[in-house]
Amino acid sequence: MTGTTTRVRLIVATLLLGTPLLLVSAAVPDWGMALTAFWRGSFGTEYAIASATLVRAIPLALAGLGVALAFRAGVLNIGAEGQLLAGAAASALAVQMSAPAMGGAVPIVALVAGAAAGAAWSGVAAILRARFGVLEVISTIMLNFVALHLVGYLVRGPLQEPTHAFPQSVTIPDLARLPRLLAAHRLHAGALLALVAAFALWWWLRATAGGFRVRVAGANPDAARSAGGIDVLRTTTRAFLVSGALAGFAGASELLGVTYALYENLSPGYGYTAVAVALLARLHPLGVILSATLFGALEAGALAMQRDAAVPSVVVYAIEATLVIAVVIGARLRLDVLTRDGRGGRGRHDAASTPRGPAAHADANGALPA
């Protein structure tokens, strides 16, 4: 029975992975030209790396860290997009209120405001989860749309630029912008902030009591509550808020380092892609940096293929989805093999000893140790 189940899973996996690749092949008439354009747009030149790939990787990394933390705590936060937009809106408002009175401290004020707004936005879903048992998957997805329309209202109303000719906020002054790391390129200081956040989160999860509580609560909340004496609700709620703060931080860094103004399409779906970034990294904070760089390269290369080789940019999104599906399927099959080996080949395991919750599932799926 176990062998039959494994064979069925392999067939399904082949279909899931093969179908997108067939569609991709049909949409690319000249693979040589497409791949050349992709390479030039992602890693082919210094400008492509520093002004396209890494710039796109910054918000993906910060939001991906937030998603990874939430998943490790057993919280399915799918609302990074809304939290990112809330952070960008709060950052724009903070700049308008504090510049030029705060001088060189304006970027810091704006970043803090963005993180606070992201935490507050995730806090709505956290309260609904804690008080009324509302599934965070549903509430966070719905809050994404609320944030999107809120930004639309702000850029057509209270925050619209003075001439009212364009649906966007006023351009932020130079003193509020994040400094460039390279004079001739668009790479900004948000890259350093993302690296610091990744190492800090990795160290915190690995070496502190708070990080241990998050991992245990996500791995098996019942055991954490009964055997470990951990307040699971408080632990997961705090992780939820920090997750939102990281996503809000991503929105603030995007506004202060790239767009310099708030408008409706400020995020091309960074918050949604961040879920894939976290899953591909197996929820490891340092892995998120590498995963975000990969997805940044894919998106930068997609634009180059569309521009230079007339290849639809959606082709890359099919490739991104295939990568995530491959990781999930491979991890699931690996877990089945380990389970059979650990239980004498019987193909089943003791449900009481199985970690529960999304973070524990991810760890069982091969997440690197924090």
PDB file of all heavy atoms in Angstrom, residues 38 47 65 92-93 104 117 124-125 178-179 208 225 229 241 282 303 315 331 340 355 358:
ATOM      1  N   PHE A  38      17.506  37.234 -20.411  1.00  0.00           N
ATOM      2  CA  PHE A  38      17.339  36.994 -18.976  1.00  0.00           C
ATOM      3  C   PHE A  38      18.662  37.200 -18.241  1.00  0.00           C
ATOM      4  O   PHE A  38      18.698  37.853 -17.190  1.00  0.00           O
ATOM      5  CB  PHE A  38      16.831  35.573 -18.739  1.00  0.00           C
ATOM      6  CG  PHE A  38      16.726  35.206 -17.290  1.00  0.00           C
ATOM      7  CD1 PHE A  38      15.583  35.517 -16.566  1.00  0.00           C
ATOM      8  CD2 PHE A  38      17.768  34.567 -16.624  1.00  0.00           C
ATOM      9  CE1 PHE A  38      15.477  35.206 -15.221  1.00  0.00           C
ATOM     10  CE2 PHE A  38      17.667  34.247 -15.283  1.00  0.00           C
ATOM     11  CZ  PHE A  38      16.525  34.568 -14.580  1.00  0.00           C
ATOM     12  N   TYR A  47      25.467  46.686 -13.532  1.00  0.00           N
ATOM     13  CA  TYR A  47      24.259  47.490 -13.336  1.00  0.00           C
ATOM     14  C   TYR A  47      23.049  46.596 -13.092  1.00  0.00           C
ATOM     15  O   TYR A  47      22.196  46.897 -12.252  1.00  0.00           O
ATOM     16  CB  TYR A  47      24.013  48.363 -14.569  1.00  0.00           C
ATOM     17  CG  TYR A  47      22.817  49.283 -14.402  1.00  0.00           C
ATOM     18  CD1 TYR A  47      22.949  50.508 -13.765  1.00  0.00           C
ATOM     19  CD2 TYR A  47      21.556  48.899 -14.875  1.00  0.00           C
ATOM     20  CE1 TYR A  47      21.858  51.351 -13.595  1.00  0.00           C
ATOM     21  CE2 TYR A  47      20.455  49.731 -14.715  1.00  0.00           C
ATOM     22  CZ  TYR A  47      20.611  50.952 -14.073  1.00  0.00           C
ATOM     23  OH  TYR A  47      19.527  51.758 -13.896  1.00  0.00           O
ATOM     24  N   LEU A  65      11.455  37.339   5.581  1.00  0.00           N
ATOM     25  CA  LEU A  65      11.838  37.079   6.973  1.00  0.00           C
ATOM     26  C   LEU A  65      10.609  37.113   7.877  1.00  0.00           C
ATOM     27  O   LEU A  65      10.476  36.297   8.795  1.00  0.00           O
ATOM     28  CB  LEU A  65      12.858  38.111   7.437  1.00  0.00           C
ATOM     29  CG  LEU A  65      14.268  37.992   6.849  1.00  0.00           C
ATOM     30  CD1 LEU A  65      15.102  39.208   7.225  1.00  0.00           C
ATOM     31  CD2 LEU A  65      14.947  36.715   7.332  1.00  0.00           C
ATOM     32  N   ALA A  92       5.332  57.234   4.307  1.00  0.00           N
ATOM     33  CA  ALA A  92       5.103  58.472   3.549  1.00  0.00           C
ATOM     34  C   ALA A  92       4.496  59.549   4.439  1.00  0.00           C
ATOM     35  O   ALA A  92       4.884  60.726   4.373  1.00  0.00           O
ATOM     36  CB  ALA A  92       4.190  58.183   2.363  1.00  0.00           C
ATOM     37  N   LEU A  93       3.558  59.142   5.280  1.00  0.00           N
ATOM     38  CA  LEU A  93       2.940  60.102   6.191  1.00  0.00           C
ATOM     39  C   LEU A  93       3.963  60.635   7.197  1.00  0.00           C
ATOM     40  O   LEU A  93       3.990  61.837   7.505  1.00  0.00           O
ATOM     41  CB  LEU A  93       1.774  59.443   6.923  1.00  0.00           C
ATOM     42  CG  LEU A  93       1.014  60.310   7.932  1.00  0.00           C
ATOM     43  CD1 LEU A  93       0.403  61.517   7.240  1.00  0.00           C
ATOM     44  CD2 LEU A  93      -0.061  59.494   8.630  1.00  0.00           C
ATOM     45  N   GLY A 104      18.328  64.907   9.634  1.00  0.00           N
ATOM     46  CA  GLY A 104      18.861  63.622   9.205  1.00  0.00           C
ATOM     47  C   GLY A 104      18.199  62.424   9.854  1.00  0.00           C
ATOM     48  O   GLY A 104      18.433  61.287   9.436  1.00  0.00           O
ATOM     49  N   ALA A 117       3.445  50.390  11.631  1.00  0.00           N
ATOM     50  CA  ALA A 117       2.210  50.211  10.874  1.00  0.00           C
ATOM     51  C   ALA A 117       2.035  48.767  10.423  1.00  0.00           C
ATOM     52  O   ALA A 117       0.921  48.221  10.458  1.00  0.00           O
ATOM     53  CB  ALA A 117       2.204  51.149   9.663  1.00  0.00           C
ATOM     54  N   VAL A 124      -4.325  43.380  13.757  1.00  0.00           N
ATOM     55  CA  VAL A 124      -5.765  43.199  13.532  1.00  0.00           C
ATOM     56  C   VAL A 124      -6.083  41.721  13.371  1.00  0.00           C
ATOM     57  O   VAL A 124      -7.007  41.177  14.000  1.00  0.00           O
ATOM     58  CB  VAL A 124      -6.222  43.991  12.291  1.00  0.00           C
ATOM     59  CG1 VAL A 124      -7.688  43.709  11.988  1.00  0.00           C
ATOM     60  CG2 VAL A 124      -5.986  45.486  12.493  1.00  0.00           C
ATOM     61  N   ALA A 125      -5.305  41.044  12.522  1.00  0.00           N
ATOM     62  CA  ALA A 125      -5.513  39.606  12.323  1.00  0.00           C
ATOM     63  C   ALA A 125      -5.180  38.823  13.585  1.00  0.00           C
ATOM     64  O   ALA A 125      -5.825  37.805  13.885  1.00  0.00           O
ATOM     65  CB  ALA A 125      -4.655  39.114  11.157  1.00  0.00           C
ATOM     66  N   LEU A 178      16.930  56.858   1.696  1.00  0.00           N
ATOM     67  CA  LEU A 178      18.009  55.988   2.153  1.00  0.00           C
ATOM     68  C   LEU A 178      19.232  56.198   1.271  1.00  0.00           C
ATOM     69  O   LEU A 178      19.105  56.313   0.044  1.00  0.00           O
ATOM     70  CB  LEU A 178      17.569  54.520   2.086  1.00  0.00           C
ATOM     71  CG  LEU A 178      16.477  54.091   3.070  1.00  0.00           C
ATOM     72  CD1 LEU A 178      16.095  52.630   2.840  1.00  0.00           C
ATOM     73  CD2 LEU A 178      16.922  54.286   4.509  1.00  0.00           C
ATOM     74  N   PRO A 179      20.417  56.257   1.852  1.00  0.00           N
ATOM     75  CA  PRO A 179      21.624  56.505   1.049  1.00  0.00           C
ATOM     76  C   PRO A 179      21.926  55.347   0.098  1.00  0.00           C
ATOM     77  O   PRO A 179      21.634  54.194   0.383  1.00  0.00           O
ATOM     78  CB  PRO A 179      22.721  56.658   2.110  1.00  0.00           C
ATOM     79  CG  PRO A 179      22.192  55.961   3.325  1.00  0.00           C
ATOM     80  CD  PRO A 179      20.712  56.130   3.296  1.00  0.00           C
ATOM     81  N   THR A 208      18.315  32.192  21.875  1.00  0.00           N
ATOM     82  CA  THR A 208      17.608  32.855  22.971  1.00  0.00           C
ATOM     83  C   THR A 208      16.414  32.035  23.425  1.00  0.00           C
ATOM     84  O   THR A 208      15.884  31.199  22.679  1.00  0.00           O
ATOM     85  CB  THR A 208      17.112  34.253  22.552  1.00  0.00           C
ATOM     86  OG1 THR A 208      16.082  34.120  21.558  1.00  0.00           O
ATOM     87  CG2 THR A 208      18.251  35.094  21.998  1.00  0.00           C
ATOM     88  N   ARG A 225       2.621  23.777  25.567  1.00  0.00           N
ATOM     89  CA  ARG A 225       1.736  24.270  26.619  1.00  0.00           C
ATOM     90  C   ARG A 225       1.771  23.377  27.851  1.00  0.00           C
ATOM     91  O   ARG A 225       1.866  23.860  28.978  1.00  0.00           O
ATOM     92  CB  ARG A 225       0.314  24.354  26.069  1.00  0.00           C
ATOM     93  CG  ARG A 225      -0.689  25.020  26.999  1.00  0.00           C
ATOM     94  CD  ARG A 225      -2.069  25.056  26.350  1.00  0.00           C
ATOM     95  NE  ARG A 225      -2.092  25.869  25.137  1.00  0.00           N
ATOM     96  CZ  ARG A 225      -2.180  25.369  23.903  1.00  0.00           C
ATOM     97  NH1 ARG A 225      -2.254  24.046  23.715  1.00  0.00           N
ATOM     98  NH2 ARG A 225      -2.204  26.160  22.861  1.00  0.00           N
ATOM     99  N   GLY A 229       5.292  24.496  29.657  1.00  0.00           N
ATOM    100  CA  GLY A 229       4.791  25.646  30.392  1.00  0.00           C
ATOM    101  C   GLY A 229       4.840  26.939  29.612  1.00  0.00           C
ATOM    102  O   GLY A 229       4.965  28.028  30.186  1.00  0.00           O
ATOM    103  N   LEU A 241       3.105  39.781  15.382  1.00  0.00           N
ATOM    104  CA  LEU A 241       3.336  41.225  15.333  1.00  0.00           C
ATOM    105  C   LEU A 241       4.712  41.554  14.752  1.00  0.00           C
ATOM    106  O   LEU A 241       4.846  42.479  13.944  1.00  0.00           O
ATOM    107  CB  LEU A 241       3.207  41.817  16.741  1.00  0.00           C
ATOM    108  CG  LEU A 241       1.822  41.742  17.384  1.00  0.00           C
ATOM    109  CD1 LEU A 241       1.867  42.300  18.805  1.00  0.00           C
ATOM    110  CD2 LEU A 241       0.794  42.496  16.552  1.00  0.00           C
ATOM    111  N   ARG A 282      13.028  27.238   3.192  1.00  0.00           N
ATOM    112  CA  ARG A 282      12.671  26.320   4.280  1.00  0.00           C
ATOM    113  C   ARG A 282      12.640  27.032   5.624  1.00  0.00           C
ATOM    114  O   ARG A 282      13.062  26.499   6.650  1.00  0.00           O
ATOM    115  CB  ARG A 282      13.609  25.126   4.305  1.00  0.00           C
ATOM    116  CG  ARG A 282      13.501  24.258   3.054  1.00  0.00           C
ATOM    117  CD  ARG A 282      14.424  23.076   3.103  1.00  0.00           C
ATOM    118  NE  ARG A 282      14.253  22.227   1.922  1.00  0.00           N
ATOM    119  CZ  ARG A 282      14.968  21.136   1.675  1.00  0.00           C
ATOM    120  NH1 ARG A 282      15.918  20.770   2.525  1.00  0.00           N
ATOM    121  NH2 ARG A 282      14.740  20.423   0.599  1.00  0.00           N
ATOM    122  N   LEU A 303      11.593  40.937 -16.746  1.00  0.00           N
ATOM    123  CA  LEU A 303      11.376  42.219 -17.417  1.00  0.00           C
ATOM    124  C   LEU A 303      12.289  42.360 -18.631  1.00  0.00           C
ATOM    125  O   LEU A 303      11.878  42.891 -19.673  1.00  0.00           O
ATOM    126  CB  LEU A 303      11.618  43.360 -16.439  1.00  0.00           C
ATOM    127  CG  LEU A 303      10.618  43.475 -15.283  1.00  0.00           C
ATOM    128  CD1 LEU A 303      11.013  44.613 -14.351  1.00  0.00           C
ATOM    129  CD2 LEU A 303       9.203  43.700 -15.818  1.00  0.00           C
ATOM    130  N   VAL A 315       5.865  34.002 -17.829  1.00  0.00           N
ATOM    131  CA  VAL A 315       6.638  32.765 -17.958  1.00  0.00           C
ATOM    132  C   VAL A 315       7.479  32.542 -16.702  1.00  0.00           C
ATOM    133  O   VAL A 315       7.580  31.430 -16.177  1.00  0.00           O
ATOM    134  CB  VAL A 315       7.533  32.820 -19.208  1.00  0.00           C
ATOM    135  CG1 VAL A 315       8.579  31.708 -19.183  1.00  0.00           C
ATOM    136  CG2 VAL A 315       6.682  32.694 -20.460  1.00  0.00           C
ATOM    137  N   ALA A 331      10.267  17.700  -0.298  1.00  0.00           N
ATOM    138  CA  ALA A 331      10.296  17.618   1.161  1.00  0.00           C
ATOM    139  C   ALA A 331       9.283  16.603   1.677  1.00  0.00           C
ATOM    140  O   ALA A 331       9.552  15.860   2.623  1.00  0.00           O
ATOM    141  CB  ALA A 331      10.018  18.998   1.763  1.00  0.00           C
ATOM    142  N   ARG A 340       9.155   6.057   7.157  1.00  0.00           N
ATOM    143  CA  ARG A 340       9.177   4.599   6.979  1.00  0.00           C
ATOM    144  C   ARG A 340      10.426   3.989   7.595  1.00  0.00           C
ATOM    145  O   ARG A 340      10.373   2.953   8.253  1.00  0.00           O
ATOM    146  CB  ARG A 340       9.112   4.255   5.488  1.00  0.00           C
ATOM    147  CG  ARG A 340       7.750   4.474   4.863  1.00  0.00           C
ATOM    148  CD  ARG A 340       7.632   3.721   3.556  1.00  0.00           C
ATOM    149  NE  ARG A 340       8.672   4.124   2.611  1.00  0.00           N
ATOM    150  CZ  ARG A 340       8.572   5.139   1.778  1.00  0.00           C
ATOM    151  NH1 ARG A 340       7.479   5.894   1.789  1.00  0.00           N
ATOM    152  NH2 ARG A 340       9.543   5.434   0.944  1.00  0.00           N
ATOM    153  N   PRO A 355       4.919  16.517  15.150  1.00  0.00           N
ATOM    154  CA  PRO A 355       4.749  17.946  15.355  1.00  0.00           C
ATOM    155  C   PRO A 355       3.531  18.448  14.603  1.00  0.00           C
ATOM    156  O   PRO A 355       3.223  17.983  13.518  1.00  0.00           O
ATOM    157  CB  PRO A 355       6.054  18.545  14.777  1.00  0.00           C
ATOM    158  CG  PRO A 355       7.024  17.414  14.791  1.00  0.00           C
ATOM    159  CD  PRO A 355       6.203  16.184  14.565  1.00  0.00           C
ATOM    160  N   PRO A 358       1.841  24.780  11.162  1.00  0.00           N
ATOM    161  CA  PRO A 358       2.558  25.020   9.923  1.00  0.00           C
ATOM    162  C   PRO A 358       4.058  25.098  10.079  1.00  0.00           C
ATOM    163  O   PRO A 358       4.802  24.643   9.231  1.00  0.00           O
ATOM    164  CB  PRO A 358       1.978  26.363   9.442  1.00  0.00           C
ATOM    165  CG  PRO A 358       1.387  26.991  10.661  1.00  0.00           C
ATOM    166  CD  PRO A 358       0.929  25.856  11.512  1.00  0.00           C
TER     167      PRO A 358
END
